[in-house]
Amino acid sequence: MVFDLDMIKTVYANMPSKIENARKLLNRPMTLTEKILYSHLSEAIPGTPFERGKSYVDFNPDRVAMQDATAQMALLQFMQAGRPKVAVPSTVHCDHLIQAETGATADLAKALDKNKEVFNFLSSVSNKYGIGFWKPGAGIIHQVILENYAFPGGLMIGTDSHTVNAGGLGMVAIGVGGADACDVMAGLVWELKFPRVIGVKLTGKLNGWTSAKDIILKVAGILTVKGGTDAIVEYFGEGADSLSCTGKGTICNMGAEIGATTSIFGYDDKMGEYLRGTSRAAVADLADGVRSSLRADDDVYANPSKYFDQVVEINLDELEPHINGPFTPDLAWPLSKFAAAVKENGWPAQLEVGLIGSCTNSSYEDISRAASLAKQAVDKGLKAKSEFTITPGSELVRYTVERDGFLKIFEDMGGMVLANACGPCIGQWARHTTDPNRKNSIITSFNRNFAKRNDGNPNTHAFVASPEIVTALAIAGDLTFNPITDTLTNAKGEKVKLEEPSGLEMPPKGFAVEDAGYQAPAADGSNVNIAVSPTSDRLQLLDPFSAWEGIDLKGLRLLIKVKGKCTTDHISMAGPWLKYRGHLDNISNNMLIGALNIFNEKTDNVKNQLDGTYNAVPAVQRAYKAAHIGTIVVGDENYGEGSSREHAAMEPRFLGVRAILVKSFARIHETNLKKQGMLALTFANKEDYNKIQEDDTLEILGLTTFTPGVQLTTALNHSDGSREEFNVNHTYNENQIEWFKAGGALNIIRSQVGA
Ligand code: SF4
């Protein structure tokens, strides 16, 4: 048993009474989202209801999940906390660093060699600190979580945007940055913007060619890529209860593409069946005992518009298969309209590659339904005209579908089975192409299809559909093929038609696996050594940041005054830099290289006040650091928007920037800066931004009496000898001021653990 049954027992023991208390507070029936969030408060239920859209630092997640790319910095930081073990059950999953090229065995061997030191590091940290470790080849994080850890009514955070997949098993599961994961593992409470709630009512029942994927493809078309922002999407209705648990997972998974905080289904018999089928009958029994806590109240389902901020209704009896794309997941085409859209828009009709699987769509049901089409193709004398790949989501599924003959059928049709890993879904794909400049089309059963996502090629038109539709179109080799109405010609010249796919939700012989790829942590990890070479360029152990020196900050030089948009990508670029995620010194060479310097309208070119030369931002900052001179970064509106990447806060801290002063912050970045012990300040009067000159020396005054709600002062010493002062705002509470004084939140935890 890899899951923590005692933890689940405790959650269920407390849930009904916590929900009753919240119900008294709200004085009305509750949505499922409200039930789960109010029952995961670290403190007693508050005196007034949470306001939707406002942030609260009060939640206690039950689990943390991390994938290999994002886990590196999260764990390096966690090691700073000084705890002997993680505070909540946590897992690491090695899935993002495996490149697809020639097939599962060879690709996995190559990845093991190339990423050896990262995998060894993750394995040894996991072993030491009580973290479950899923080895390379064990599977994709979200599929492994669904099969082993997700449970109805739970609250989980994960360092990956598709953590939301676990909503298929009734869990509020939310994607976060590494800093949040680190905090929760270290025992801190977790901050969440209390979401809006969107209800999606599903009536009728799926039939024929339509599958669960088509529901989310349709929802994406209705709500668009922004429609779910700051919202949790709750699915309900007879149609919801009739979907398999893994189908529900598919829908929640791709909820990330509408920007939703997460998506969720209420507990039902299908979830119970899945729990029992994946060796978790004990969890199903417990969930059955608190079933009413794991669904919204009846009146919410009867009168949804009274309780949800928005209600969408979809009749599954009438739903058509959909194909979404290219270049965005919300461009939704019903199958009957798609061929015309391909022609009208001049998209390449020849389909070069069909790819099924990924964390979104690789359940037993998905694979068995796609295999039913592949079998028909083989029996009717057809071979796939496109290249065709299959990415199993986990070793459990791979082993089971191989045992049941499905992988053999795909191979007979000309398909290639890839490693149980992300591969082409995240651009880890050495795609064979004769001409990368050729406009070309691919179709996947994945979730994202932005330009360059799968193969790095801007000329690739990527479409997203169900595994069944991907398989049918790959057999035809033609995007304009409609399997419901069209025929194909086989090797003998006969016209043949594909019948509706058929499959099974669960394997009749049960799931099986020889080696699932799990490494349990040591019972006592105190003697486990963490493997990091001092000469590594991908990993570097962190040293604690130093504490505040106890005096006002003076003599700060202006590093850069940023003009306009400055996202976390401008502050810490992705792409080739991602390989340094575990090496703070190396990745800091990308600090602010995307930000626009207002004084010369150039990126990555700022004045070094020490010698008057212009140079790259990291180089100039390193010169100040070498001279023991602190600096300040000045920014515009919504500074630090975008992904919650913690490197964007750690790099300036590491290189010696002391304060970030902006017109306004993106909330998560502001919090990340505070956690690292930085000063995150905003202009009280936004016009003061204009007063800052390129050669200024700055001061931050009032720190010795740093108090919540009381402004600080900034002084500018201009190069002509004049001086100006103005007030700046901050949002630090008492705790966060302590973080600043200690040099970072982790320094506080370490001192508490050590005390
Ligand atoms: S398979 Fe794709 S969506 Fe799923 S975790 Fe991997 S990269 Fe993310």
Side-chain angles (χ1 to χ4, degrees):
M1 190 204 295
V2 299
F3 59 93
D4 190 330
L5 190 61
D6 287 341
M7 178 268 284
I8 298 172
K9 276 184 187 161
T10 310
V11 172
Y12 287 167
N14 295 330
M15 218 169 165
S17 62
K18 287 192 171 183
I19 290 171
E20 273 326 298
N21 288 340
R23 198 194 309 282
K24 279 183 210 142
L25 172 80
L26 296 169
N27 199 22
R28 59 165 170 76
M30 292 170 73
T31 62
L32 177 57
T33 297
E34 287 166 334
K35 287 186 179 182
I36 296 179
L37 290 181
Y38 277 100
S39 62
H40 281 83
L41 286 172
S42 59
E43 305 290 337
I45 303 292
T48 51
F50 287 145
E51 252 178 71
R52 294 179 184 184
K54 265 196 162 178
S55 287
Y56 298 91
V57 195
D58 282 303
F59 296 94
N60 262 341
D62 303 312
R63 295 202 69 84
V64 175
M66 292 163 282
Q67 44 103 325
D68 47 4
T70 49
Q72 296 168 50
M73 190 51 82
L75 290 171
L76 284 163
Q77 289 188 83
F78 170 76
M79 289 166 70
Q80 296 281 296
R83 288 186 72 103
K85 275 198 179 339
V86 284
V88 300
S90 305
T91 48
V92 167
H93 304 261
C94 296
D95 54 2
H96 277 61
L97 301 177
I98 300 163
Q99 189 179 45
E101 189 173 6
T102 53
T105 310
D107 294 347
L108 185 58
K110 211 167 162 185
L112 285 171
D113 186 46
K114 193 170 155 203
N115 301 298
K116 200 168 164 202
E117 62 171 335
V118 173
F119 293 146
N120 283 348
F121 166 72
L122 296 174
S123 160
S124 56
V125 177
S126 300
N127 197 16
K128 185 173 181 71
Y129 293 108
I131 300 168
F133 179 70
W134 291 81
K135 299 174 198 168
I140 305 169
I141 174 168
H142 313 303
Q143 182 68 27
V144 173
I145 293 285
L146 196 74
E147 287 166 0
N148 294 282
Y149 300 110
F151 66 95
L155 176 64
M156 176 174 73
I157 60 165
T159 59
D160 188 277
S161 41
H162 293 97
T163 300
V164 293
N165 187 71
L169 242 177
M171 193 167 204
V172 168
I174 298 180
V176 297
D180 282 17
C182 169
D183 288 353
V184 172
M185 289 189 293
L188 290 175
V189 289
W190 177 60
E191 176 176 348
L192 173 72
K193 197 187 250 191
F194 206 83
R196 298 183 296 129
V197 191
I198 298 174
V200 177
K201 181 173 184 183
L202 302 178
T203 60
K205 198 163 189 290
L206 290 174
N207 57 79
W209 281 85
T210 312
S211 73
K213 183 66 165 283
D214 299 303
I215 299 173
I216 185 62
L217 294 173
K218 171 89 180 168
V219 168
I222 296 170
L223 291 177
T224 79
V225 289
K226 290 212 174 111
T229 307
D230 292 336
I232 290 187
V233 182
E234 262 189 61
Y235 289 85
F236 64 99
E238 56 178 12
D241 292 345
S242 71
L243 295 172
S244 66
C245 177
T246 50
K248 293 176 169 88
T250 295
I251 293 169
C252 294
N253 177 301
M254 205 178 151
E257 276 48 67
I258 56 166
T261 302
T262 193
S263 307
I264 191 166
F265 284 79
Y267 180 63
D268 60 18
D269 293 345
K270 297 284 187 180
M271 291 187 195
E273 277 166 31
Y274 186 72
L275 284 168
R276 291 175 201 284
T278 48
S279 310
R280 289 173 289 171
V283 180
D285 291 343
L286 288 170
D288 285 339
V290 290
R291 187 177 276 248
S292 65
S293 297
L294 306 175
R295 295 176 64 86
D297 289 332
D298 290 344
D299 199 50
V300 172
Y301 293 147
N303 298 293
S305 53
K306 272 170 74 179
Y307 305 100
F308 293 116
D309 296 280
Q310 184 181 354
V311 179
V312 173
E313 188 164 336
I314 296 172
N315 182 346
L316 303 188
D317 289 334
E318 295 165 2
L319 183 66
E320 261 195 77
H322 274 62
I323 297 177
N324 288 20
F327 305 125
T328 180
D330 59 354
L331 191 54
W333 303 98
L335 183 61
S336 58
K337 306 258 172 9
F338 183 63
V342 170
K343 288 175 196 150
E344 275 162 28
N345 290 288
W347 298 325
Q350 187 200 342
L351 178 62
E352 297 202 6
V353 195
L355 305 97
I356 65 167
S358 90
C359 68
T360 324
N361 267 124
S362 61
S363 63
Y364 191 85
E365 184 181 29
D366 291 331
I367 299 288
S368 61
R369 281 172 63 87
S372 76
L373 295 168
K375 172 128 186 18
Q376 288 184 51
V378 173
D379 291 349
K380 294 180 184 187
L382 297 163
K383 274 219 166 224
K385 287 211 175 125
S386 310
E387 276 184 56
F388 185 63
T389 69
I390 305 98
T391 305
S394 71
E395 178 59 10
L396 183 77
V397 159
R398 193 209 63 77
Y399 188 95
T400 307
V401 297
E402 183 179 52
R403 179 202 65 190
D404 292 353
F406 299 136
L407 294 187
K408 167 84 172 54
I409 296 171
F410 289 129
E411 281 163 354
D412 289 347
M413 192 188 77
M416 187 204 314
V417 180
L418 300 174
N420 311 322
C422 300
C425 183
I426 189 68
Q428 289 274 30
W429 186 18
R431 185 177 165 194
H432 325 280
T433 175
T434 45
D435 176 11
N437 296 319
R438 181 182 63 236
K439 275 177 134 193
N440 71 94
S441 291
I442 65 171
I443 188 164
T444 80
S445 73
F446 310 160
N447 41 37
R448 290 207 167 143
N449 60 346
F450 297 116
K452 304 202 271 184
R453 163 92 176 173
N454 302 117
D455 61 359
N457 183 350
N459 297 307
T460 297
H461 294 54
F463 297 86
V464 179
S466 67
E468 296 90 319
I469 293 295
V470 172
T471 306
L473 266 57
I475 293 167
D478 182 355
L479 270 190
T480 63
F481 174 64
N482 180 342
I484 299 178
T485 54
D486 301 348
T487 54
L488 295 166
T489 307
N490 69 10
K492 292 188 206 149
E494 300 159 343
K495 290 217 175 303
V496 294
K497 197 160 180 307
L498 296 173
E499 306 303 326
E500 287 175 358
S502 61
L504 293 163
E505 291 178 14
M506 302 284 279
K509 288 188 266 175
F511 283 106
V513 71
E514 247 167 34
D515 176 6
Y518 176 68
Q519 170 194 293
D524 173 4
S526 55
N527 292 323
V528 175
N529 277 332
I530 306 294
V532 173
S533 159
T535 56
S536 168
D537 73 341
R538 290 183 69 181
L539 290 167
Q540 180 190 41
L541 295 178
L542 298 174
D543 287 323
F545 293 130
S546 48
W548 172 55
E549 50 274 65
I551 51 173
D552 284 339
L553 302 183
K554 295 191 175 171
L556 304 180
R557 304 302 170 99
L558 177 71
L559 176 64
I560 181 171
K561 179 170 165 183
V562 179
K563 180 181 174 187
K565 205 175 182 63
C566 190
T567 67
T568 45
D569 212 47
H570 293 94
I571 305 169
S572 176
M573 262 188 195
W577 295 96
L578 292 183
K579 72 167 183 264
Y580 298 125
R581 278 174 195 264
H583 197 295
L584 186 54
D585 196 3
N586 283 349
I587 201 170
S588 292
N589 287 328
N590 76 357
M591 187 188 76
L592 284 159
I593 61 177
L596 192 68
N597 178 4
I598 196 168
F599 297 112
N600 60 7
E601 302 269 335
K602 288 182 181 170
T603 54
D604 203 20
N605 190 272
V606 294
K607 187 171 184 179
N608 177 345
Q609 291 189 38
L610 301 178
D611 60 12
T613 58
Y614 283 82
N615 207 336
V617 184
V620 172
Q621 179 56 37
R622 284 185 190 275
Y624 290 128
K625 186 180 184 187
H628 304 289
I629 294 172
T631 59
I632 182 164
V633 169
V634 172
D636 215 317
E637 298 281 7
N638 211 17
Y639 182 92
E641 66 182 292
S643 89
S644 59
R645 198 172 300 160
E646 70 269 33
H647 297 84
M650 295 183 78
E651 292 175 24
R653 177 72 171 108
F654 175 72
L655 288 183
V657 178
R658 301 301 303 268
I660 311 283
L661 171 61
V662 299
K663 290 184 186 169
S664 63
F665 276 111
R667 181 188 56 84
I668 295 176
H669 185 61
E670 183 182 18
T671 308
N672 283 347
L673 287 168
K674 291 176 181 174
K675 282 180 191 163
Q676 300 301 337
M678 295 274 291
L679 280 174
L681 308 171
T682 53
F683 292 99
N685 174 4
K686 288 184 183 178
E687 297 299 308
D688 290 337
Y689 170 89
N690 300 323
K691 293 180 178 161
I692 294 174
Q693 297 173 16
E694 192 173 24
D695 290 316
D696 283 350
T697 304
L698 298 100
E699 298 168 14
I700 310 288
L701 308 172
L703 291 173
T704 50
T705 51
F706 197 5
T707 312
V710 178
Q711 290 177 319
L712 296 169
T713 301
T714 292
L716 308 178
N717 297 298
H718 299 305
S719 55
D720 64 3
S722 63
R723 179 180 167 93
E724 292 182 82
E725 286 190 6
F726 52 80
N727 288 336
V728 291
N729 294 334
H730 70 83
T731 57
Y732 288 70
N733 59 30
E734 301 273 5
N735 270 340
Q736 292 166 341
I737 289 173
E738 292 309 311
W739 297 350
F740 166 72
K741 289 182 177 169
L746 289 173
N747 289 349
I748 301 242
I749 298 178
R750 193 175 49 255
S751 62
Q752 288 165 350
V753 172

